[in-house]
């Protein structure tokens, strides 16, 4: 009987070894997985949470909070220059934060001067202003806000407006002479604005605003950027040359959350009309809705990296063995 | 922005055509790629013209003026404008307001020195003609000189002096946590900078300093990679969101129909290719 | 040589010095020189974009005419190019009914407006109330009516104007001026931008998401200590920056000595301190490089931009 038991153990042990070896071979083979399978998995993993939202809660970070409070602490009569430097390729990341920032500014009663250093930024600006300034807040063009339009020239435009807006933007985006626009009567140069917010996806963008307007004129600058740019801008934030950053889609979701929290908890100056828009803001927050998909996709990519490394280590061990 | 049913079908077709590259390079992808090239080139040129050349260049050469009040050289000069209006009326408009005829664009003060800018701009276009293409160097020289002059001060002030100034932090702040953080920042910046200093051989103690610097740089590159992944996934989410939007009844079920058709065509094309390759 | 190399070198030096001095001397003549110099730069930059477009047309057109390999695709590029140019310079759209008075029968006018503007086709009492609020007192230049169409031609706008005038309102056809039509609503140009350019541009970038995932799986291997640090840093940022990371380690917040191990907290510290140190080192290095190169260009030491003779 003892002999039979011993035989059984040996068989079990051999079976287990076989299974383990098969598993190890499978892991080693994974290294050469067809990339189309990876593409399919990524596609499904991004699509599923868009169709079936998970509702993960958003936790705000220091950078976004710094940007939010820098704007929130502005006096209600402050004029803010918002520059649109992104296009349709980066719209999913930056457009939600553009809308949130405009909502924040208009909720406080601030006046907004919009300009664009990217040609596509013009379309984005029109869309954002149409939704927020027109449809949501019902504001008056030329009095509460203005869209000066796009000018090519990159940092030369920024340098130019530190001397004269009129020289660089003789007409606004609708073809109206800048001297006929009430909001621009007190805004002759970039020094006359109280804050600069750059919505930027690359060059020219936040860096140029810091270099050519923020630092020389000592006008506070903040920005909303694509995730890729954020790391480049961090030194400016750490040195105080920028007041926080709204970083990519997660940053946009955080900003949306903070604007809603402001209205819910009645923090700081809020116009009467803005209070009535809270349900609207809660319903239309794209970045928050997208964060579920972003989260799952990140987790899957991390798992892919871990799996790839396990496969690599197993393969290397096998090669050393032989 | 409402683009209508036709616009939605075009948008879905182009989106799925680009995404079809994930399967393999195919006719849909190549078509979409070339359409992109054509549309973007024309788009950038059109925007640049209407936002800069027309109002800022032509608007300074010919600001709006009452025709009746023109005399001498100005009469001749605006006569040229009138000739241009006859051919390119949309670019060089004329307007009659309360019975008064106006010629010109905008109300910038007239500045004929901008003719030089116009000439330099035209020289830029001469790059297309090999014999006189060298004239574009003058325009390029202007652009490069401007950029160099602008950036020299800007980057020195903000990126070098500003950052060095910000690195001068107290080693002891009274709080252990923030003191450690400050030390990490200072050590990281110094060792990271030292890694790129090649005038001295990195050996002995200097090698240790350099290696510490590499680790700080690796943390930076790893974080940059994480952010890059974040950015790309965000863009993909945006595209999928649009595809979901255009799959509804309002847009004629564009997404599912085009997707199925495209899959069928690609599968048939792949099957047709395989037997031919086997032969 | 003089015209091809010496004159450009003089231009670079002169313009560079003027721009540099203008940072330090705001007074005349540097003040106005600098203003106009930047304007000239903008104008020349615009011509550079036009050059790019013409060059593309030349290359693709050449391919079509000589029927080189892939010429049907080149033809598609040329057609797309001319379509965009046509909508930029020849055919505009962007017309709209402009109401200056709602007349004696306002409710019928409001209902008509609610039917034609951006809606889902079902006109409710709320829609009419919104229209009433917007159009009851038109501004001095009137109020625009944005029709629920992708593009509005003169004929479409005229039809609605005639219907509104029949109902007693005072309306006329307004249009976006040439120039502002490229950024306006309901123009052919904006339709091309949103139907063609936007999906193409956005999807090209979105493709990279797949390749990043594939590259992470295949190439991101722990071969040495530096690669491990890079990998760990990347993973912490990827997980710590999204709600899932916070959700997975939310339980650590209830235990004081474990609260530091909350993913967003670790991520934030890593990002703000070690990562910031690396970023600053690179920024200072790049800044010094740019300063050096700009000086070389202005002083005429760097001439590579001129190309060969």
């Amino acid at each position: 009987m003892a002999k039979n038991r011993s035989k059984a153990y040996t068989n079990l042990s051999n079976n287990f070894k076989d299974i383990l070896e098969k598993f190890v071979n499978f892991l080693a083979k994974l290294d050469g997985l067809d990339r189309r399978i990876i593409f399919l998995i990524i596609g499904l993993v991004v699509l599923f949470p868009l169709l079936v939202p998970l509702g993960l809660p958003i936790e705000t970070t220091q950078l976004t909070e710094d940007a939010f409070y820098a704007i929130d602490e502005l006096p209600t009569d402050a004029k803010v220059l918002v520059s649109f430097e992104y296009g349709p390729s980066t719209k999913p990341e930056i457009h939600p934060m553009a809308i949130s920032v405009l909502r924040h500014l208009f909720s406080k009663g601030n006046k907004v001067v919009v300009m664009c250093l990217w040609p596509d930024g013009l379309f984005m600006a029109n869309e954002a202003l149409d939704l927020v300034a027109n449809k949501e807040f019902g504001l008056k063009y030329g009095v509460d806000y203005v869209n000066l339009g796009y000018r090519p020239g990159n940092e030369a435009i920024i340098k130019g407006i530190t001397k004269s807006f009129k020289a660089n933007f003789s007409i606004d985006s609708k073809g109206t002479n800048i001297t006929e626009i009430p909001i621009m009567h007190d805004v002759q140069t970039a020094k006359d604005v109280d804050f600069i917010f750059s919505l930027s996806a690359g060059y020219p963008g936040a860096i140029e605003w810091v270099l050519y307007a923020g630092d020389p004129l000592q006008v506070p600058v903040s920005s909303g950027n694509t995730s890729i740019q954020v790391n480049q801008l961090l030194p400016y934030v750490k040195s105080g040359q920028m007041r926080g950053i709204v970083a990519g889609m997660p940053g946009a979701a955080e900003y949306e959350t903070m604007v809603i929290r402001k209205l819910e908890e009645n923090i700081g100056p809020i116009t009467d009309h803005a209070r009535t828009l809270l349900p609207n803001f809660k319903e239309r927050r794209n970045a928050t809705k997208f964060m579920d998909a972003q989260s799952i996709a990140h987790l899957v990519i991390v798992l892919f990296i871990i799996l790839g490394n396990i496969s690599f280590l197993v393969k290397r061990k096998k090669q050393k063995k032989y | 922005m409402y683009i209508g049913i036709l616009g939605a079908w075009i948008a879905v077709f182009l989106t799925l055509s680009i995404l079809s590259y994930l399967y393999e390079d195919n006719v849909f992808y190549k078509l979409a790629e070339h359409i992109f090239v054509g549309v973007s080139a024309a788009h950038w040129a059109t925007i640049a013209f209407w936002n800069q050349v027309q109002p800022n260049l032509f608007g300074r050469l010919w600001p709006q003026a009452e025709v009746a009040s023109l005399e001498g050289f100005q009469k001749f000069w605006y006569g040229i404008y009138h000739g241009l209006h006859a051919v390119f009326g949309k670019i060089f408009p004329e307007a009659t307001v309360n019975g008064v005829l106006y010629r010109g664009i905008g109300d910038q003060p007239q500045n004929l020195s901008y003719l030089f800018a116009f000439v330099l701009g035209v020289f830029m276009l001469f790059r297309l003609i090999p014999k006189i293409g060298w004239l574009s160097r003058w325009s390029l020289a202007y652009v490069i000189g401007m950029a160099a002059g602008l950036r020299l001060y800007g980057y020195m002030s903000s990126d070098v002096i500003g950052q060095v100034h910000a690195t001068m932090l107290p080693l002891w702040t009274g709080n252990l946590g923030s003191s450690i953080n400050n030390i990490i920042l200072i050590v990281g910046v110094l060792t990271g900078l030292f890694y790129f200093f090649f005038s001295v051989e990195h050996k002995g103690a200097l090698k240790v300093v350099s290696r510490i610097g590499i680790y700080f740089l690796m943390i930076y590159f790893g974080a940059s990679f994480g952010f890059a992944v974040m950015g790309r996934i965000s863009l993909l989410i945006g595209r999928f969101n649009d595809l979901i939007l255009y799959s509804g009844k309002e847009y004629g079920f564009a997404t599912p129909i085009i997707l199925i058709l495209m899959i069928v065509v690609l599968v048939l094309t792949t099957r047709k290719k395989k037997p031919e390759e086997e032969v | 040589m003089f015209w091809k190399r010496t004159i450009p070198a003089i231009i670079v030096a002169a313009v560079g010095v003027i721009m540099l001095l203008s940072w330090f001397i705001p007074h005349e003549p540097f003040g106005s020189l600098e203003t106009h110099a930047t304007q000239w730069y903008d104008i020349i930059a615009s011509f550079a974009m036009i050059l790019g477009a013409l060059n593309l047309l030349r290359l693709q057109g050449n391919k079509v005419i000589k029927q080189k390999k892939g010429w049907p695709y080149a033809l598609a590029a040329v057609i797309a190019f001319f379509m965009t140019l046509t909508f930029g310079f020849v055919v505009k759209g962007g017309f709209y009914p402009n109401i200056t008075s709602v007349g004696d029968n306002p409710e019928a006018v409001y209902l008509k407006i609610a039917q034609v503007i951006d809606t889902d086709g079902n006109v409710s009492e709320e829609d009419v109330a919104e229209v009433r609020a917007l159009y009851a007192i038109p501004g001095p230049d009137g109020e625009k009516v944005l029709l629920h169409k992708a593009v509005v031609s003169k004929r479409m706008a005229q039809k609605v104007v005639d219907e509104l005038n029949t109902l007693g309102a005072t309306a006329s056809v307004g249009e976006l001026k040439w120039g502002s039509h490229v950024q306006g609503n309901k123009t052919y140009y904006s339709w091309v931008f949103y139907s063609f350019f936007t999906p193409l541009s956005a999807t090209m970038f979105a493709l990279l998401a797949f390749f990043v995932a594939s590259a992470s799986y295949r190439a991101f291997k722990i071969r040495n200590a530096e690669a491990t640090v890079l990998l760990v840093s990347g993973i912490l940022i990827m997980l710590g920056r999204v709600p899932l990371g916070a959700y997975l380690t939310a339980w650590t917040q209830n235990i004081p000595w474990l609260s530091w191990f909350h993913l967003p907290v670790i991520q934030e510290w890593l990002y703000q301190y070690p990562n910031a140190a690396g970023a600053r080192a690179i920024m200072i290095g790049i800044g010094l490089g740019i300063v050096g190169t700009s000086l070389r260009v202005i002083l005429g030491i760097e001439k590579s931009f001129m190309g060969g003779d």
Side-chain angles (χ1 to χ4, degrees), chain B residues 54-77:
Chain B
Q54 199 245 17
N56 268 356
L57 174 60
F58 298 143
R60 284 180 208 270
L61 295 177
W62 290 285
Q64 202 170 54
E66 200 181 312
V67 174
S69 66
L70 298 169
E71 337 178 290
F73 170 74
Q74 292 296 340
K75 199 169 179 184
F76 161 74
W77 184 240

Side-chain angles (χ1 to χ4, degrees), chain A residues 280-299:
Chain A
N280 205 28
F281 290 179
K282 279 183 170 174
E283 202 199 310
R284 289 194 203 159
R285 29 180 182 163
N286 275 347
T288 308
K289 279 186 220 165
F290 295 159
M291 283 315 293
D292 292 339
Q294 183 97 44
S295 297
I296 304 294
H298 279 208
L299 181 66

Side-chain angles (χ1 to χ4, degrees), chain C residues 250-296:
Chain C
W251 58 274
T252 59
Q253 296 299 282
N254 298 327
I255 305 162
W257 60 273
L258 269 185
S259 61
W260 205 88
F261 291 94
H262 188 40
L263 265 172
V265 171
I266 300 174
Q267 174 275 136
E268 195 69 22
W269 176 84
L270 188 81
Y271 180 61
Q272 295 256 18
Y273 296 100
N275 167 66
R280 192 171 276 169
I282 286 182
M283 181 178 271
I284 293 170
I286 292 173
L288 288 169
I290 288 173
V291 166
T293 309
S294 300
L295 264 174
R296 286 167 58 85

Side-chain angles (χ1 to χ4, degrees), chain B:
Chain B
M1 169 74 192
Y2 179 66
I3 54 173
I5 295 179
L6 176 62
W9 277 66
I10 291 170
V12 170
F13 172 74
L14 293 172
T15 302
L16 292 175
S17 297
I18 299 285
L19 289 174
S20 69
Y21 184 75
L22 296 168
Y23 178 63
E24 60 177 21
D25 196 8
N26 59 77
V27 70
F28 292 120
Y29 174 77
K30 285 195 188 104
L31 179 66
E33 191 187 39
H34 281 76
I35 292 173
F36 182 37
V37 156
V39 168
S40 3
H43 167 63
W44 282 73
T46 307
I47 294 281
F49 181 85
W50 285 113
N51 280 284
Q52 188 64 246
V53 175
Q54 199 245 17
N56 268 356
L57 174 60
F58 298 143
R60 284 180 208 270
L61 295 177
W62 290 285
Q64 202 170 54
E66 200 181 312
V67 174
S69 66
L70 298 169
E71 337 178 290
F73 170 74
Q74 292 296 340
K75 199 169 179 184
F76 161 74
W77 184 240
Y78 277 83
I80 297 174
Y81 183 92
H82 184 60
L84 288 166
H85 167 74
V87 181
F88 305 110
K90 286 159 187 157
I91 297 169
F92 301 97
E94 285 184 358
T96 307
V97 179
N98 298 330
V100 179
L101 177 63
Y102 290 90
R103 280 182 195 150
I105 302 160
D107 76 341
Q108 296 269 35
Q110 191 180 51
N111 191 332
L112 291 178
S113 69
Y114 277 66
L115 277 169
F116 286 107
F118 180 59
V119 166
L120 283 174
V122 171
F123 281 1
M124 185 69 94
L125 298 179
F126 285 168
R127 206 163 176 81
L128 295 168
I129 306 167
K131 273 204 170 134
I132 49 172
W134 59 269
L135 279 166
S136 67
R137 289 183 193 185
W138 293 18
S139 314
L140 221 54
Y142 185 92
V143 167
I144 285 168
M146 271 286 298
L150 274 177
R151 285 175 191 190
L152 202 159
Y153 178 89
Y155 277 85
M156 180 59 111
S157 165
S158 300
D159 276 23
V160 180
I161 296 171
Q163 293 303 316
V164 166
H165 180 254
T167 309
M168 290 176 188
L169 297 162
L171 294 173
W172 177 248
T173 61
N175 173 272
L176 181 65
S178 60
S179 301
I180 291 173
N181 288 335
N182 283 356
I183 291 168
I184 287 171
L185 265 172
I186 295 165
V187 167
V189 172
L190 289 173
T191 55
L193 275 172
F194 184 76
Y195 174 73
F196 293 111
F197 189 66
F198 300 118
S199 305
V200 173
E201 198 183 337
H202 293 180
K203 58 181 182 185
L206 297 178
K207 190 176 180 182
V208 172
V209 172
S210 174
R211 286 210 64 80
I212 294 170
I214 289 176
Y215 286 115
F216 278 98
L217 293 172
M218 287 299 125
I219 292 174
Y220 169 72
F221 293 136
S224 297
F225 169 77
F227 280 111
V229 168
M230 196 185 301
R232 300 304 173 204
I233 295 290
S234 300
L235 302 183
L236 183 62
I237 289 169
R239 292 324 300 143
F240 276 18
N241 191 53
D242 280 351
L243 287 174
I244 292 168
L245 174 69
Y246 295 138
S247 60
K249 191 179 171 188
E250 196 196 342
Y251 294 101
F253 307 106
T255 305
I257 292 173
I258 295 174
L259 180 64
I260 291 166
L261 284 172
M262 224 177 247
I263 290 171
V264 166
V265 169
L266 286 174
V267 165
L268 288 173
T269 330
T270 315
R271 273 196 177 166
K272 203 178 159 191
K273 244 198 270 176
K274 273 197 180 139
E276 284 171 4
E277 281 166 4
E278 277 165 24
V279 169

Side-chain angles (χ1 to χ4, degrees), chain C residues 54-134:
Chain C
L54 291 173
N55 195 41
L56 173 94
L57 187 63
R58 185 179 68 133
L59 290 169
Q60 300 294 330
N62 204 29
K63 235 180 174 179
V64 172
I65 293 167
K66 293 186 178 166
Q67 302 223 333
K68 290 182 183 172
K69 189 183 172 194
W71 72 266
Y73 301 115
L75 181 63
V78 170
I79 292 170
F81 180 86
F82 280 114
M83 174 190 69
T84 311
L85 275 191
T86 304
F87 294 145
F89 292 94
V90 181
V91 182
K92 177 162 57 80
F95 292 89
Y96 53 87
N98 194 43
I99 295 191
T100 45
S101 157
V102 290
D104 298 327
N105 191 8
E107 289 305 315
V109 171
Y110 299 143
L111 181 64
K112 182 69 202 170
I113 294 173
Q115 284 167 347
V116 298
I117 63 173
D118 285 334
T119 68
D120 56 4
N122 301 315
V123 177
S124 66
E125 267 307 311
E126 284 88 28
D127 296 328
V128 177
E130 255 182 59
V131 168
R132 197 180 293 123
L134 270 171

